[in-house]
């Protein structure tokens, strides 16, 4: 769910990002970006017969960033005409700022070689990548990754930090003999039974549900992404629509297939005064396929 503050931030983000399509010349001069929370900007091909350029997601094997370590991202692109040109911009923000309201500083434009990019992080704070992908037909897509928070190695074992809490939860609940399904289920259940939806629309990142016990859909989705990745489950965050802008997850299980998990909708709000354990928790949106999910959720696919 989105309040007026976040909607205004998104409108501002759209105005700021529109000139970026096709390159980063304008971005380089201003050195700022806004985080749009999943909005994708597309320029259609000049050649009407061109195959539509598709971008699915970026993949990385890290659940969070540890300072002074090098990480790698794979950019997954499909469709289009000719050779892809991929440009990356890294945006940075200190932790005291509002990620959906305040601007982010662009601090790096690292090269993307063979659809792979790597970077070493040296500053505490938040980061996200913005990618511009174009092809020879003149079409392009601009999209952003999720927000990554950078931590020190000491934070990884400190349960008062977001990453330390996530590691403690995984250490407590996950054993080596568990299947991916069992791991995904126990982490899903920890969230829905230990957090409640934030009707004040204050907490958007993983720290909300993990440390404060409350958060909006972004917080549930980003926390579940962190927990699953630490537990060795392939997981992505999905931005879509479910009556209003919404976020959830997809996970890949032992059978090699991807399934939807919506922890937010499995932890429904009964009333603003309900305790965390409201008794309304459910598993209706745990590990369901595209057909089931599409009954009340929509998201970007090659068909739409």
């Amino acid at each position: 769910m989105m309040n007026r503050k976040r909607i205004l931030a998104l409108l501002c983000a759209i105005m700021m990002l529109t000139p970026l399509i096709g390159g980063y010349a304008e971005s380089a001069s201003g050195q700022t970006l806004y985080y749009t929370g999943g909005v994708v900007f597309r320029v259609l091909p000049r050649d009407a017969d061109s195959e539509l350029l598709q971008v699915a997601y970026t993949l990385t094997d890290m659940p969070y960033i540890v300072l002074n370590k090098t990480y790698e991202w794979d950019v997954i692109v499909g469709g289009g005409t000719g050779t892809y040109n991929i440009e990356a911009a890294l945006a940075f923000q200190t932790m005291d700022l509002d990620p959906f309201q305040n601007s982010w500083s662009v601090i790096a434009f690292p090269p993307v070689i063979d659809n792979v990019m790597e970077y070493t992080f040296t500053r505490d704070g938040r980061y996200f990548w913005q990618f511009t992908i174009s092809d020879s037909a003149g079409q392009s897509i601009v999209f952003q990754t999720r927000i990554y928070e950078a931590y020190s190695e000491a934070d990884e074992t400190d349960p008062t930090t977001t990453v330390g809490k996530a590691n403690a939860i995984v250490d407590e609940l996950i054993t080596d003999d568990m299947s991916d399904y069992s791991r995904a289920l126990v982490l899903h259940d920890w969230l829905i039974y230990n957090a409640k939806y934030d009707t004040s629309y204050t907490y958007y990142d993983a720290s909300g549900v993990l440390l404060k016990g409350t958060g909006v859909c972004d917080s549930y989705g980003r926390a579940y992404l962190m927990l699953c990745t630490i537990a060795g489950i392939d997981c992505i965050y999905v931005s879509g629509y479910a009556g209003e802008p919404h976020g959830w997850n997809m996970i890949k299980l032992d059978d090699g297939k991807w399934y939807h998990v919506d922890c937010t909708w499995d932890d429904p709000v009964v009333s603003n005064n309900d305790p965390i354990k409201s008794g309304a928790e459910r598993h209706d949106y745990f590990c369901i396929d595209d057909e089931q999910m599409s009954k009340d959720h929509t998201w970007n696919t090659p068909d739409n």
Side-chain angles (χ1 to χ4, degrees):
M1 293 185 179
M2 301 175 69
N3 60 0
R4 174 182 289 183
K5 177 180 176 183
R6 190 174 176 197
I7 292 173
L8 290 174
L10 286 176
L11 291 175
C12 186
I14 291 173
M15 291 186 290
M16 289 291 294
L17 283 171
T18 300
L20 299 180
I21 296 177
Y24 283 100
E26 292 82 4
S27 173
S29 61
Q31 291 293 304
T32 61
L33 293 174
Y34 279 82
Y35 187 68
T36 64
V39 176
V40 177
F41 297 86
R42 182 189 299 275
V43 172
L44 296 177
R46 298 189 181 101
D47 181 356
D49 295 327
S50 297
E51 183 183 355
L52 184 64
L53 179 64
Q54 302 286 348
V55 57
Y57 46 81
T58 57
L59 283 179
T60 180
D61 59 0
M62 39 76 75
Y64 48 82
I65 292 170
V66 175
L67 296 177
N68 301 311
K69 292 187 178 182
T70 300
Y71 297 96
E72 189 174 276
W73 278 261
D74 296 316
V75 184
I76 312 300
V77 188
T81 303
T83 304
Y84 301 127
N85 179 55
I86 304 176
E87 296 179 314
L90 180 63
F92 169 81
Q93 184 188 78
T94 55
M95 294 295 291
D96 59 307
L97 297 178
D98 185 331
F100 292 96
Q101 185 78 12
N102 298 105
S103 63
W104 296 61
S105 299
V106 178
I107 62 172
F109 298 89
V112 181
I113 301 173
D114 295 329
N115 289 34
V116 177
M117 178 195 62
E118 63 178 31
Y119 192 80
T120 303
F121 298 84
T122 58
R123 299 171 63 185
D124 289 318
R126 300 189 187 99
Y127 297 86
F128 72 84
W129 292 106
Q130 179 165 292
F131 292 96
T132 295
I133 299 103
S134 56
D135 71 356
S136 58
Q139 60 181 325
S140 63
I141 290 177
V142 176
F143 78 101
Q144 298 172 344
T145 67
R146 66 180 174 94
I147 295 172
Y148 297 92
E149 295 180 358
Y151 302 93
S152 69
E153 289 192 39
D155 289 334
E156 292 188 275
T157 55
D158 180 357
T160 65
T161 67
T162 305
V163 63
K165 181 67 173 182
N167 280 322
I169 292 168
V170 172
D171 288 343
E172 177 184 355
L173 300 178
I174 304 301
T175 59
D176 292 340
D177 60 342
M178 295 174 69
S179 66
D180 283 348
Y181 180 91
S182 296
R183 293 169 188 243
L185 177 60
V186 73
L187 295 175
H188 164 278
D189 286 359
W190 190 96
L191 285 177
I192 68 172
Y193 286 109
N194 289 276
K196 62 180 179 181
Y197 191 81
D198 176 20
T199 55
S200 70
Y201 307 109
T202 301
Y203 299 105
Y204 287 87
D205 57 28
S207 64
V209 293
L210 291 177
L211 297 180
K212 306 293 184 180
T214 187
V216 299
C217 60
D218 295 278
S219 183
Y220 279 87
R222 298 181 197 287
Y224 193 65
L225 174 64
M226 180 178 285
L227 291 170
C228 285
T229 308
I230 294 172
I233 302 169
D234 287 336
C235 181
I236 61 174
Y237 179 83
V238 180
S239 292
Y241 196 81
E244 59 189 345
H246 186 50
W248 64 94
N249 300 95
M250 292 188 74
I251 59 173
K252 186 179 181 181
L253 297 184
D254 303 300
D255 60 4
K257 297 179 181 179
W258 288 86
Y259 298 90
H260 297 264
V261 177
D262 191 338
C263 295
T264 308
W265 276 35
D266 276 346
D267 193 17
V269 176
V270 177
S271 78
N272 292 343
N273 297 319
D274 270 354
I276 289 177
K277 295 185 178 180
S278 68
E281 296 86 0
R282 58 191 183 184
H283 295 84
D284 295 357
Y285 293 89
F286 176 73
C287 282
I288 63 176
D289 59 24
D290 285 351
E291 182 179 0
Q292 292 173 289
M293 197 67 169
S294 64
K295 292 178 180 179
D296 44 29
H297 290 60
T298 58
W299 61 97
N300 287 335
T301 69
D303 295 329
N304 66 12

